[in-house]
Amino acid sequence: MRIDGTDPFATAKPDARLIKLLIRARRFNTALVGSDSLPFAALAKREGVSPSYFTRLVRLSYLAPDIAQAILDGRQPRDLTANNLLAHSRLPLAWHEQRSVLGFA
């Protein structure tokens, strides 16, 4: 809780767009890991997305587990939208830094 009494993690329900991003991120990461060194561009084409989008989503597959779980549960900060998460796709790998950047700390 904040000093003003509001819960910065409270949302009415899970955000379907955020959840879809997490699912696609995991799927793209799985494709990358099992690709036998195919270039990102080829993997992106196979998935029907641009190489840039493919890369941004793969990065999101490295979110801290508690952040991913909070999103799945609908407990993300109110201002963490799918567009905002994509804008922060160059997140640090350190989970504590991710929490700070995304408003979980």
Side-chain angles (χ1 to χ4, degrees):
M1 286 269 180
R2 291 184 177 167
I3 294 172
D4 64 7
T6 63
D7 183 350
F9 304 105
T11 59
K13 61 181 181 175
D15 183 320
R17 288 189 67 217
L18 277 171
I19 292 170
K20 183 179 177 182
L21 279 180
L22 293 184
I23 291 169
R24 287 186 93 188
R26 294 287 173 114
R27 190 177 83 226
F28 288 6
N29 188 299
T30 298
L32 177 65
V33 170
S35 72
D36 292 328
S37 302
L38 278 177
F40 267 50
L43 292 169
K45 184 175 182 178
R46 189 168 73 191
E47 293 291 339
V49 298
S50 71
S52 172
Y53 186 77
F54 184 87
T55 301
R56 290 189 304 166
L57 257 63
V58 166
R59 288 182 185 135
L60 293 180
S61 68
Y62 295 100
L63 280 175
D66 58 306
I67 293 174
Q69 189 63 55
I71 290 170
L72 293 172
D73 294 343
R75 295 182 292 107
Q76 71 277 355
R78 291 181 192 275
D79 62 346
L80 184 59
T81 64
N83 289 340
N84 289 345
L85 186 56
L86 280 173
H88 288 296
S89 65
R90 290 185 182 257
L91 288 167
L93 289 177
W95 291 344
H96 69 280
E97 291 177 27
Q98 290 178 6
R99 290 181 195 101
S100 294
V101 169
L102 296 175
F104 284 89

